[in-house]
Amino acid sequence: MAGQVSGKAAPAGAAGGGQWKYAAISVIAVVAFLLGWQVSGWAGWVDPLLLPPLGEVLRTALDLAENGYRQSSLWHHIGISVARAGVAFAAAIVIGVPVGLAMGRSRGLSALLDPFVQFLRPLPKIALIPLVVLWFGIDEGAKFFLIFISTLLSVLVGAAAAVLNVSQQRLRAAATLGASRHQVFWYVILPNALPEIFTTIRLAVGIGWTSLIAAEMVAADSGLGWMVINAGTYLRTDIVMLGIFLLGLIGYLFDALLVFLQRRLAPWAGKEA
């Protein structure tokens, strides 16, 4: 309490100790969940058709890693899904961030684009599948578009909001010092908006990744989303659970990559000015 009253920061060692403590809690929670999952299978508390034991899912993972699924290796299914999503994410970010920043800076551009963005953003992307097939056929273009549009719309909204949330006091101070519009953007708006833009990208990538299964419903014959759907039709719950685990793990790794980039490119995020 004394440290809080005096306004002094907590010692670095204490902060590090707290981080290790919470990391240990997370590890213990995951291990307890996995043990509970396995024990429920051993004890017969849950029908294996509904929830196969963890050991069975691991055996299935080893079998698919060696023999593949439906004439394609497990690594091919993983790679094709990551490639589809990765290309769509990159395109959505490269296009969405500049356009979103421009929307935040220009009321006219925002008035022009915002009605379409706000109409399409909450629309379930699975409803677009019939149109997408008509427009792009059943090749990779259709899958790319569904993931891309799901990600792009969230990036546009978040980037525009990040610009609008920049402190007006900082903008007035820069103008008072004689900064040009170009300088205000590069030295005031962009640095202050960048942390929020990264948060937006993380959320948008999560939304785009969840649309992968819908994208791989479009006449696919490979990919993790397709594998989950196909295995479900044959009641292969072990493969479904493995696919869900891999989808969650890869989504987590995408997010971890974005967190790493944020720490490198916007290290001032979360710190007092």
Side-chain angles (χ1 to χ4, degrees), residues 212-227:
L212 178 71
I213 291 183
E216 293 186 341
M217 289 173 63
V218 183
D221 57 4
S222 61
L224 287 175
W226 173 84
M227 189 178 78

Side-chain angles (χ1 to χ4, degrees), residues 10 17 40-41 70 77 97 109 113 129-130 142 149-150 176 241-243 253:
S40 67
R70 302 294 178 189
H77 289 299
V97 170
L109 182 62
L113 297 181
I129 288 179
I149 197 67
S150 300
T176 300
M241 291 299 299
L242 174 62
L253 293 176

